[in-house]
Amino acid sequence: MTFELQHTDNASDARTGVITTDHGQIRTPIFMPVGTVGSVKGVHFEELRRQVKAQIILGNTYHLYLRPGLDILRAAGGLHGFNGWDRPILTDSGGFQVFSLTGIRKLTEEGCEFRSHIDGSRHIFTPENVMDTERVIGADIMMALDECPPGRSDYAYAKKSLGLTQRWLDRCIRRFNETEPLYGYKQSLFPIVQGCTYKDLRCEAAKFVADKGADGNAIGGLAVGEPTEVMYEMIEVVNEILPKDKPRYLMGVGTPQNILEAIERGVDMFDCVMPTRNGRNAMLFTYDGTMNMKNKKWEDDFSPIDPEGCDVDLITSKAYLHHLFKAGELLAMQIASIHNLAFYLRLVTDARTHIEQGDFVQWKASVIEQLGRRI
Ligand code: PRF
């Protein structure tokens, strides 16, 4: 994987670039739809390509390891061979999902023990076996195993946890370097910066990560309950240190406003379940604000759900989508998910255009308030 920086904004840290993988190119800034079990919930790949214009999707090591499991994935030729998505894929390492999904867990120097949310069976993730698993899944970008501590962790816990994440990173890198891709295309390993909301820990973590010289770097441990302003401050502290010529990935973020603020601070890659999860709950994101499609006010509004959106947006009226949600039709969730993902991709593509034009900061200022409105 390579990264070519294209434009750097004069008035902010925003930038554009191109990531080149063996499964194709990704133009940054980019949003990556979340495909937890190898599918983006409710959205067929055909729609992801044509309507959403997704360039890369995410998979989760935790889910794929439990089901379908490594034997099937290996036999299929990795996740690309299994699900038929032929563009780039990134896999999260599983640590974060273990913490958020499994009740019973034990964290040790060796790794994290957990029980499957499917059948309660016991497993352990170590930096070594997670690298091996991500090799079997075969994503173009593999994430290192980290601990994402709770948002309100005290300093002592945050420091101790960061130490563990750093030792795990060294073990990930060692295993990554000792092993080879299994399916004939290259894979990259991204380390993750942790450190909660403590500036000195974030600095130390960013330096530690920057020294590894990885193909790209991630910022984790944010959007976990801290105030938004604190998140932005942490992004600034970390991006001051992370190399400028490598892509920066802010994990699990966020709202359209969060994404624009982070792009302004030099972030290149994003993922979040919000467009699909909120979509399934009848919430649509648009440049005019968010809409709850269950609201009676849409009952007889026959205008398109988004006149500037993708084909699905143009042929679907608000009244019809309202009706589908009221009737509990599966298609309601599908349309809302397609719309929201297409909107997120349009948002980052528009950001890219305005960075290239040199008016990103003005453009951001002109859209950001509207984005947060409820209509
Ligand atoms: N670590 C990993 N995945 C993540 C996070 C993290 O800190 C977050 C935090 N926002 C989302 N996904 N490995």
Side-chain angles (χ1 to χ4, degrees):
M1 191 211 93
T2 60
F3 180 60
E4 185 200 337
L5 201 55
Q6 294 184 310
H7 285 268
T8 309
D9 192 26
N10 284 326
S12 75
D13 288 329
R15 56 261 196 92
T16 67
V18 183
I19 297 171
T20 303
T21 75
D22 286 350
H23 284 100
Q25 295 195 317
I26 304 154
R27 282 164 295 282
T28 62
I30 190 64
F31 179 80
M32 308 181 279
V34 177
T36 300
V37 305
S39 90
V40 176
K41 288 190 197 305
V43 184
H44 196 275
F45 289 150
E46 198 61 17
E47 295 159 335
L48 268 185
R49 287 197 188 90
R50 289 173 201 264
Q51 301 294 318
V52 174
K53 300 189 165 57
Q55 299 177 38
I56 171 172
I57 61 171
L58 224 87
N60 280 128
T61 300
Y62 168 80
H63 296 82
L64 293 166
Y65 158 83
L66 290 176
R67 197 168 53 193
L70 300 187
D71 291 344
I72 296 289
L73 286 166
R74 205 180 285 108
L79 185 56
H80 286 97
F82 186 57
N83 70 7
W85 177 254
D86 58 1
R87 293 181 184 179
I89 299 178
L90 177 150
T91 36
D92 199 358
S93 52
F96 184 73
Q97 284 72 34
V98 167
F99 299 117
S100 56
L101 287 173
T102 69
I104 302 163
R105 55 177 209 251
K106 206 172 121 198
L107 199 60
T108 64
E109 189 64 33
E110 175 61 8
C112 55
E113 282 176 45
F114 61 94
R115 279 180 190 274
S116 159
H117 73 289
I118 300 167
D119 62 6
S121 55
R122 294 175 67 98
H123 304 266
I124 179 163
F125 274 164
T126 66
E128 291 79 15
N129 72 18
V130 164
M131 289 298 99
D132 295 348
T133 298
E134 291 192 87
R135 287 288 195 200
V136 173
I137 297 170
D140 302 270
I141 300 173
M142 313 175 13
M143 301 308 300
L145 185 66
D146 60 331
E147 189 203 355
C148 174
R152 293 177 205 291
S153 300
D154 63 28
Y155 187 83
Y157 187 83
K159 193 173 165 66
K160 187 168 147 246
S161 164
L162 178 58
L164 185 66
T165 288
Q166 292 176 329
R167 291 188 299 279
W168 282 2
L169 175 60
D170 283 333
R171 286 166 56 191
C172 282
I173 292 173
R174 203 169 309 130
R175 186 59 153 238
F176 179 79
N177 288 334
E178 284 166 6
T179 52
E180 294 282 334
L182 299 174
Y183 313 111
Y185 51 84
K186 291 190 206 73
Q187 295 182 282
S188 293
L189 172 64
F190 280 22
I192 304 170
V193 173
Q194 291 288 349
C196 293
T197 53
Y198 303 103
K199 274 194 199 177
D200 64 320
L201 296 183
R202 285 276 170 190
C203 275
E204 191 210 319
K207 283 186 197 132
F208 187 87
V209 158
D211 277 347
K212 306 299 172 189
D215 289 344
N217 301 294
I219 309 173
L222 294 177
V224 288
E226 77 285 3
T228 320
E229 286 308 318
V230 174
M231 171 168 84
Y232 298 149
E233 196 187 350
M234 294 301 124
I235 297 170
E236 287 170 22
V237 165
V238 169
N239 278 352
E240 190 65 38
I241 297 165
L242 289 182
K244 297 215 176 334
D245 60 349
K246 298 290 168 59
R248 301 162 173 156
Y249 164 28
L250 179 59
M251 307 190 76
V253 174
T255 63
Q257 301 97 299
N258 293 156
I259 288 176
L260 295 186
E261 295 291 352
I263 288 174
E264 184 171 26
R265 290 163 175 80
V267 175
D268 309 296
M269 302 164 71
F270 302 88
D271 78 282
C272 191
V273 294
M274 219 178 251
T276 38
R277 183 175 293 165
N278 293 17
R280 293 195 299 279
N281 279 314
M283 178 184 173
L284 297 195
F285 293 94
T286 76
Y287 272 121
D288 295 325
T290 58
M291 304 191 278
N292 178 351
M293 295 316 296
K294 287 194 181 154
N295 197 315
K296 195 169 163 56
K297 75 194 264 194
W298 309 119
E299 182 179 51
D300 58 354
D301 184 334
F302 303 106
S303 65
I305 53 177
D306 187 345
E308 250 104 70
C310 63
D311 293 346
V312 168
D313 289 330
L314 298 181
I315 60 177
T316 310
S317 72
K318 298 182 180 88
Y320 180 56
L321 186 57
H322 169 79
H323 160 71
L324 293 178
F325 270 113
K326 287 307 238 190
E329 284 293 305
L330 287 178
L331 187 59
M333 297 190 195
Q334 290 177 279
I335 292 173
S337 300
I338 293 169
H339 161 78
N340 281 345
L341 287 176
F343 176 72
Y344 267 62
L345 265 293
R346 182 148 62 97
L347 183 77
V348 293
T349 306
D350 289 347
R352 183 179 161 88
T353 304
H354 287 284
I355 297 166
E356 283 169 348
Q357 286 175 8
D359 65 353
F360 172 77
V361 173
Q362 294 91 312
W363 172 75
K364 192 207 90 178
S366 75
V367 298
I368 199 133
E369 246 167 72
Q370 293 266 96
L371 283 168
R373 270 197 339 171
R374 287 220 186 104
I375 51 175

